[in-house]
C-alpha cells in the first residue's frame, strides 16, 4: 500500500470513528447534561433563570470573542481550524442545551423532561443570555466600525483642507 492508500485508510478510519463518537454522544450527552443542569438548579425557577442567563451569555460571548481575536491575529487555514475548534469547545454548554431543545431522539426527549422538572426556566433564559451576548458583540463591532469611519472622514477632511489652503504657485514660463 502506497502513501496515498495509507492516507485514505486513515481518513476513512477517522471519519468512521467520528461518526461512532457522534452516535454514542447523541444517545448519552442530552440526558447527562440535563441531569447536571438539574442538579445545579434544583427545581428553582429563579436559579434556573440566573444560571440560564449566565450560561447563555458566557458560552456565547467567549467563543465569538476568541474566534474574532484569533482571526485578527492570523488568518491561515490552520489558525482558522484551531479558532473554530476552540470556539466550538467553549460553546459546548450551549450546544448541549441546544441538542436537548432541538433533538428528536429518546435522549433529547428525556433531557427535555428532566429540564422541565428539575431546571425550569433554564432553556429560555439560556436563549436570552445568548441573544444578549450576541447583541453586545454586535454593538461593540458597530462602535469599532463607526469609529474607523469617523477617523477616515476626519483624515479626508484634513487632507482636503490642507490641499485647499496651500497657496497656488504661479507657473514660471520661459
Amino acid at each position: 500500500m502506497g502513501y496515498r492508500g495509507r492516507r485514505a485508510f486513515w481518513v476513512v478510519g477517522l471519519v468512521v470513528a467520528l461518526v461512532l463518537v457522534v452516535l454514542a454522544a447523541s444517545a448519552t450527552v442530552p440526558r447527562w447534561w440535563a441531569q447536571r443542569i438539574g442538579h445545579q438548579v434544583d427545581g428553582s425557577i429563579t436559579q434556573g433563570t440566573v444560571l440560564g442567563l449566565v450560561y447563555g451569555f458566557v458560552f456565547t460571548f467567549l467563543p465569538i470573542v476568541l474566534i474574532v481575536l484569533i482571526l485578527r491575529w492570523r488568518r491561515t487555514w490552520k489558525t482558522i481550524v484551531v479558532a473554530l475548534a476552540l470556539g466550538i469547545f467553549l460553546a459546548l454548554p450551549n450546544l448541549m442545551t441546544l441538542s436537548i431543545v432541538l433533538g428528536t431522539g429518546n435522549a433529547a426527549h428525556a433531557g427535555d423532561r428532566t429540564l422541565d422538572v428539575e431546571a425550569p426556566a433554564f432553556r429560555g433564559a439560556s436563549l436570552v443570555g445568548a441573544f444578549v451576548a450576541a447583541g453586545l458583540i454586535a454593538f461593540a463591532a458597530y462602535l469599532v466600525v463607526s469609529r474607523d469611519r469617523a477617523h477616515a472622514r476626519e483624515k479626508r477632511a484634513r487632507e482636503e483642507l490642507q490641499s485647499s489652503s496651500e497657496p497656488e504657485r504661479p507657473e514660471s514660463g520661459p
Side-chain angles (χ1 to χ4, degrees):
M1 186 172 359
Y3 172 74
R4 290 180 191 233
R6 282 193 303 260
R7 188 178 212 184
F9 176 76
W10 279 105
V11 168
V12 169
L14 287 173
V15 168
V16 168
L18 183 65
V19 167
L20 291 175
V21 166
V22 167
L23 287 175
S26 69
T28 58
V29 169
R31 280 187 181 108
W32 171 83
W33 181 246
Q35 289 171 354
R36 295 292 66 80
I37 295 300
H39 289 302
Q40 291 175 16
V41 173
D42 198 28
S44 168
I45 291 176
T46 304
Q47 188 117 353
T49 303
V50 170
L51 197 65
L53 286 170
V54 169
Y55 272 63
F57 181 85
V58 169
F59 296 111
T60 300
F61 186 80
L62 287 180
I64 294 173
V65 168
L66 177 83
I67 289 171
V68 167
L69 289 177
I70 289 175
L71 293 182
R72 285 182 59 109
W73 171 57
R74 184 171 291 164
R75 283 196 188 171
T76 65
W77 69 271
K78 289 180 183 179
T79 55
I80 291 171
V81 169
V82 168
L84 291 177
L86 287 172
I88 289 171
F89 179 75
L90 284 176
L92 277 178
N94 282 348
L95 295 174
M96 289 186 288
T97 303
L98 193 63
S99 75
I100 293 171
V101 172
L102 299 179
T104 57
N106 290 337
H109 291 304
D112 206 23
R113 290 188 300 272
T114 302
L115 289 181
D116 281 342
V117 174
E118 293 184 27
F122 176 80
R123 288 171 291 183
S126 181
L127 180 64
V128 170
F131 279 139
V132 168
L136 182 65
I137 290 170
F139 181 65
Y142 167 75
L143 290 177
V144 168
V145 168
S146 65
R147 181 192 66 189
D148 291 346
R149 285 183 187 159
H151 285 309
R153 269 186 261 139
E154 179 188 8
K155 184 179 177 183
R156 262 194 316 264
R158 285 183 189 274
E159 289 171 354
E160 288 174 10
L161 183 62
Q162 188 176 12
S163 67
S164 67
S165 66
E166 290 178 356
E168 292 187 26
R169 298 181 194 165
E171 291 187 28
S172 56

